[in-house]
């Protein structure tokens, strides 16, 4: 794989059982690039290591006054120089290619996993951790994958040099052969502590990144409540903790680097001292002493890669662990699907709750618990969270008796036209059912780019914007983009932070309406808009989605009054079904949720509706007094 061939047609299925396994999987998928870097690395390191032998031969040729050998040595040095230049150039090229392709593979895997999980990702992994994995961690993982081939070439070169010195000059070569492994292994006892300090630093850095992300995301709210300084102080403390951790980590790595310089120096002193004694006794030639000395001096170059691979692994191991954690996340339901690619139509039915949304109609769902509403909305889209799936499994074969008829509530997948959504391929399930949660995200770019989404083509951008009542939003975007004559070319800042919450909500609604899915599920789509705008949105939504299945989770009377069918879900089961006005009149639980009625008010109203024939005059007087007090208070 070359850089110009990126992205990968298929990045593969990663081994995400652990960080080391993930690194091993990445290496195995780049064997071609690894062997290429290894070959060029061997050429480069061997050419560098051959220079001391050339220098020794040249010195000895001068001492022996042999012009022929000196000329041959000069030619050999020229060959070594060419090998060094070619090997270094191609090694750098191959190493950078391995680094970038490995990082690109990880980024593609993360992007694919993010698209698969959708909004469930940030509920299972902190946003700061996701940012850290997709930016800095990707680079560290690529660094280690790239460094493996250079380290292997350096290690083989060290072995070859040691063997060559033993054969060339045994008296000194044995000292080098014994000393070099000591140099390579001397820092191993320090690596666990250095690794722990590096892990602690990255943990603090991740926490600071997460805090900064949360602060920026909520900056508008913080300014409104005057909490900017509080969060800035928190970030300053987190930043100082990162700095202190980085300094402690750098001290340990500095100690390791110092040892890597000190020990080769001591080995060189030992070799020179022993070599001078042997040369004085006439047991070795001066050229041989120069050769061994130069070889030991140049061995520090490949030995530096031992320190680098230790650092690369120490930094990449926790990064790979975090990446593997994200890549190991799965949807609660089957992501591949056992049914063929198809787009089913028909009624939307949830057997776990008994919720039925008839095809082509606007169904409103009222839940007293907003969290329960969010989980149910996810479930209707065919991709619930694990907690929702577990609760669904517990409801399997649960039996209820209604009106003397025994039914079985099977806690399986949501059905669309009697087709289980979790048995469909993910693409088909999301094409058939689109879920917009209560906190949709707007990406930066122009309004035209925001609304450029997969769609049926039956709903225009203008119609969707009008139905979502985005007229004032277009005006605000146009005023904020002085160079944009067409509102569709106006720029939207990151996450739409230049817009109010209601404006962001309406743009997100327009984006969902453009897609025109078979089933559209909206979770509190008007919670941040005023009542007049909400009434117009309700009319526009009903008109634009005529003939399409729409499910709206809301407790707003304005939206509920425009629904064809209203369903009350209480404690995980459908408690009542009907029209809004009928349920307000006949269902106290529904009335309490929709009108925010207190317990005292509900008791008083129930008493007022009850017949007074069975109560005493004193009781009647008390009830009458309570009703009068409530009327006066109102």
């Amino acid at each position: 794989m070359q850089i110009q061939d990126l992205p990968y047609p298929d990045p593969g299925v990663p081994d995400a059982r652990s960080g080391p396994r993930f690194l091993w999987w990445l290496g195995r998928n780049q064997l071609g690039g690894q062997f290429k870097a290894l070959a060029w690395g061997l050429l480069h390191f061997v050419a560098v290591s051959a220079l001391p032998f050339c220098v020794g031969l040249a010195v000895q040729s001068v001492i022996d006054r042999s012009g022929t050998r000196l000329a041959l040595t000069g030619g050999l040095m020229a060959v070594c120089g060419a090998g060094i230049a070619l090997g270094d150039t191609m090694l750098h090229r191959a190493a950078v290619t391995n680094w970038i392709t490995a990082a690109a593979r990880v980024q593609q895997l993360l992007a694919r996993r993010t698209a698969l999980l959708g909004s469930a990702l940030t509920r299972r992994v902190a946003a700061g951790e996701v940012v850290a994995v997709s930016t800095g961690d990707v680079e560290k993982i690529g660094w280690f994958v790239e460094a493996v081939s250079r380290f292997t070439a350096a290690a083989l070169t060290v072995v070859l040099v040691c063997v060559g010195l033993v054969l060339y000059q045994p008296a000194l070569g044995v000292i080098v052969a014994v000393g070099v492994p000591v140099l390579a292994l001397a820092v191993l006892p320090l690596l666990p502590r250095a690794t722990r300090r590096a892990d602690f630093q990255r943990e603090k850095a991740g926490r600071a990144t997460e805090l900064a992300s949360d602060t920026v995301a909520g900056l508008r709210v913080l300014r409104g409540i005057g909490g900017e300084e509080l969060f800035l102080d928190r970030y300053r403390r987190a930043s100082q903790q990162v700095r202190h951790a980085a300094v402690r980590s750098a001290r340990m790595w500095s100690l390791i680097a110092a040892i890597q310089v000190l020990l080769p120096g001591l080995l060189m002193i030992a070799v020179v001292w022993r070599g001078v004694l042997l040369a004085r006794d006439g047991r070795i030639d001066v050229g041989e002493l120069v050769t061994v000395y130069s070889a030991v001096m140049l061995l520090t170059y490949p030995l530096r890669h031992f320190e680098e691979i230790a650092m690369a692994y120490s930094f990449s191991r926790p990064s790979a662990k975090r990446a593997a954690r994200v890549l190991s996340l799965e949807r609660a339901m089957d992501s591949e699907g056992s049914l063929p690619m198809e787009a089913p139509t028909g009624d939307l039915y949830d057997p776990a709750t008994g919720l039925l949304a008839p095809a082509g109609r606007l169904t409103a769902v009222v839940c007293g618990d907003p969290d329960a509403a969010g989980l149910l909305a996810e479930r209707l889209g065919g991709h619930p969270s694990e907690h929702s799936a577990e609760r669904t499994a517990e409801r399997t074969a649960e039996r209820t008796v209604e009106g003397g008829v025994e039914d079985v509530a099977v806690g399986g997948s949501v059905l669309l036209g009697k087709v289980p959504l979790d048995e469909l391929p993910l693409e088909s399930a999301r094409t058939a059912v689109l879920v917009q949660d209560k906190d949709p995200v707007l990406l930066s770019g122009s309004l035209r780019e925001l609304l450029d989404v997969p769609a049926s083509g039956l709903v225009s951008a203008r119609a969707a914007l009008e139905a979502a009542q985005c007229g004032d939003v277009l005006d605000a975007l146009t005023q904020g983009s002085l160079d944009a004559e067409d509102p569709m070319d106006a720029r939207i800042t990151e996450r739409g932070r230049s817009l109010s919450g209601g404006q962001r909500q309406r743009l997100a609604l327009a984006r969902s309406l453009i897609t025109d899915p078979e089933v559209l599920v909206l979770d509190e789509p008007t919670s941040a808009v005023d009542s007049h705008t909400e009434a117009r949105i309700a009319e526009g939504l009903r008109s634009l989605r005529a003939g399409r299945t729409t499910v709206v989770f809301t407790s707003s009377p304005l939206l509920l009054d425009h629904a064809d069918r209203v369903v009350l879900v209480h404690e995980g089961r459908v408690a009542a079904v009907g029209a809004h006005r009928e349920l307000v009149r006949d269902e106290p639980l529904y009335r309490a949720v929709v009108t925010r009625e207190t317990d005292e008010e509900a008791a008083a109203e129930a008493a007022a509706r009850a017949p007074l024939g069975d109560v005493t005059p004193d009781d009647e007087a008390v009830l009458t007094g309570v009703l009068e007090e409530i009327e006066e208070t109102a």
Side-chain angles (χ1 to χ4, degrees):
M1 172 63 71
Q2 298 297 318
I3 296 177
Q4 62 265 23
D5 298 327
L6 294 174
Y8 288 94
D10 181 12
V13 179
D15 186 351
R17 288 176 291 177
S18 66
R21 288 179 182 272
F22 180 60
L23 292 174
W24 174 249
W25 178 84
L26 282 175
R28 285 192 293 108
N29 279 270
Q30 288 189 296
L31 289 180
Q34 295 289 350
F35 282 122
K36 185 181 296 185
L38 175 60
W40 290 118
L42 282 174
L43 173 62
H44 173 65
F45 290 125
V46 169
V48 170
S49 301
L51 286 178
F53 294 95
C54 296
V55 172
L57 291 175
V59 171
Q60 194 61 41
S61 298
V62 172
I63 294 175
D64 296 340
R65 299 180 181 279
S66 174
T68 303
R69 281 192 299 165
L70 185 61
L72 291 175
T73 303
L76 183 59
M77 293 184 69
V79 172
C80 290
I84 292 172
L86 178 62
D88 189 26
T89 301
M90 300 307 295
L91 172 61
H92 179 74
R93 181 184 181 91
V96 171
T97 299
N98 288 338
W99 189 337
I100 293 178
T101 52
R105 186 188 296 274
V106 177
Q107 285 182 327
Q108 281 188 246
L109 291 170
L110 291 171
R112 187 169 66 176
R113 185 58 51 180
T114 301
L116 178 68
L117 294 173
S119 60
L121 175 63
T122 52
R123 286 192 290 271
R124 299 164 67 180
V125 181
E129 184 171 347
V130 176
V131 173
V133 170
S134 59
T135 53
D137 285 341
V138 168
E139 294 185 4
K140 294 181 178 68
I141 293 171
W143 175 30
F144 174 75
V145 173
E146 171 270 324
V148 169
S149 56
R150 289 189 292 109
F151 163 73
T152 305
L156 291 176
T157 302
V158 169
V159 173
L160 291 175
V161 170
C162 291
V163 172
L165 288 177
V166 171
L167 297 177
Y168 177 73
Q169 180 44 253
L172 296 177
V174 171
I175 299 176
V176 177
V178 173
V180 167
V182 174
L183 297 181
L185 302 177
V187 297
L188 288 182
L190 298 177
L191 288 180
R193 180 177 297 181
T195 301
R196 286 194 299 270
R197 291 190 179 185
D199 291 348
F200 182 73
Q201 175 197 348
R202 282 184 291 274
E203 179 185 346
K204 292 297 183 182
R207 170 58 183 159
T209 302
E210 180 180 351
L211 183 60
S213 176
D214 293 342
T215 302
V216 173
L219 189 57
R220 181 186 293 272
V221 177
L222 292 177
R223 286 175 175 172
I225 63 176
E228 294 175 87
E229 287 300 323
L230 173 63
F231 275 79
L232 284 176
D233 288 340
R234 290 182 181 177
Y235 182 76
R236 289 190 188 102
R237 291 195 296 270
S239 178
Q240 289 301 312
Q241 291 175 355
V242 174
R243 184 178 68 84
H244 290 307
V247 170
R248 294 184 72 247
S249 178
R251 286 173 180 169
M252 185 56 64
W253 289 111
S254 299
L255 177 60
I256 292 175
I259 292 175
Q260 291 288 327
V261 174
L262 174 64
L263 294 184
L266 295 178
L267 177 61
M268 192 177 299
I269 292 173
V271 169
V272 171
W273 176 75
R274 179 60 177 167
V276 169
L277 295 179
L278 294 176
R280 188 178 60 183
D281 295 339
R283 297 170 57 184
I284 63 172
D285 296 329
V286 174
E288 292 175 335
L289 175 60
V290 172
T291 298
V292 176
Y293 169 78
S294 301
V296 174
M297 182 178 64
L298 288 179
L299 273 179
T300 57
Y301 174 54
L303 281 175
R304 283 205 300 268
H305 290 78
F306 286 71
E307 176 191 351
E308 182 189 8
I309 195 65
M311 291 185 64
Y313 181 73
S314 298
F315 280 88
S316 65
R317 183 182 57 81
S319 298
K321 181 180 178 181
R322 283 195 293 265
R325 180 190 173 199
V326 175
L327 294 175
S328 64
L329 298 176
E330 297 286 349
R331 292 176 68 232
M333 298 300 184
D334 181 16
S335 60
E336 298 297 332
S338 57
L339 297 179
M341 185 77 69
E342 62 178 71
T345 59
D347 297 343
L348 184 69
Y349 176 66
D350 177 22
T353 60
L355 172 63
L356 174 66
R361 301 178 67 183
L362 174 59
T363 301
V365 181
V366 176
C367 291
D369 183 1
D371 293 334
L375 292 175
L376 181 54
E378 287 184 7
R379 177 172 171 77
L380 293 180
H383 39 86
S385 63
E386 282 83 352
H387 300 295
S388 178
E390 290 173 1
R391 284 199 293 270
T392 298
E394 292 174 357
R395 295 182 185 275
T396 303
E398 177 184 350
R399 296 179 179 274
T400 59
V401 179
E402 296 181 2
V405 179
E406 188 181 62
D407 297 325
V408 179
V410 181
S413 168
V414 170
L415 305 178
L416 179 58
K418 299 183 179 180
V419 177
L421 287 181
D422 68 329
E423 295 182 13
L424 287 173
L426 180 61
E427 183 178 352
S428 294
R430 288 187 172 175
T431 301
V433 183
L434 173 65
V435 179
Q436 176 185 304
D437 60 23
K438 64 183 64 178
D439 187 23
V441 176
L442 302 182
L443 301 179
S444 60
S446 67
L447 180 58
R448 192 184 309 278
E449 293 170 342
L450 175 70
L451 301 180
D452 184 15
V453 293
S456 65
L458 300 178
V459 178
S460 65
R462 179 181 296 276
L465 291 170
E466 289 180 355
Q469 300 299 311
C470 294
D472 63 317
V473 183
L474 298 181
D475 295 338
L477 290 175
T478 304
Q479 294 175 1
S481 302
L482 300 179
D483 57 342
E485 298 181 359
D486 188 348
M488 297 298 291
D489 296 325
R491 303 293 298 178
I492 298 175
T493 57
E494 181 185 3
R495 300 179 68 91
R497 291 195 177 98
S498 61
L499 303 174
S500 67
Q503 291 173 331
R504 290 196 300 269
Q505 199 172 56
R506 281 176 281 162
L507 280 181
L509 176 59
R511 180 178 58 187
S512 299
L513 293 175
I514 286 178
T515 60
D516 190 34
E518 181 66 27
V519 178
L520 177 61
V521 180
L522 304 172
D523 187 5
E524 295 290 351
T526 59
S527 59
V529 300
D530 60 81
S531 58
H532 298 287
T533 305
E534 187 176 30
R536 293 195 295 270
I537 290 176
E539 295 175 358
L541 179 64
R542 182 182 178 88
S543 174
L544 191 65
R545 292 287 298 173
R548 292 287 204 181
T549 306
T550 308
V551 180
V552 181
F553 286 83
T554 183
S555 58
S556 168
L558 293 173
L559 282 177
L560 295 171
D561 196 38
H562 284 79
D564 299 314
R565 172 186 175 94
V566 178
V567 180
L568 173 64
V569 177
H570 180 64
E571 295 182 353
R573 296 294 300 177
V574 171
V577 179
H580 167 62
R581 298 177 185 240
E582 295 175 356
L583 293 177
V584 169
R585 183 182 66 246
D586 301 333
E587 291 291 336
L589 180 60
Y590 178 85
R591 185 169 55 251
V593 174
V594 173
T595 64
R596 279 39 171 200
E597 190 177 58
T598 64
D599 294 339
E600 292 78 5
E601 293 171 339
E605 187 168 351
R609 293 174 180 272
L612 299 179
D614 296 333
V615 298
T616 65
D618 293 338
D619 294 334
E620 183 176 352
V622 171
L623 291 175
T624 303
V626 170
L627 291 177
E628 291 177 352
E629 182 178 351
I630 292 176
E631 291 177 357
E632 292 176 358
T633 304

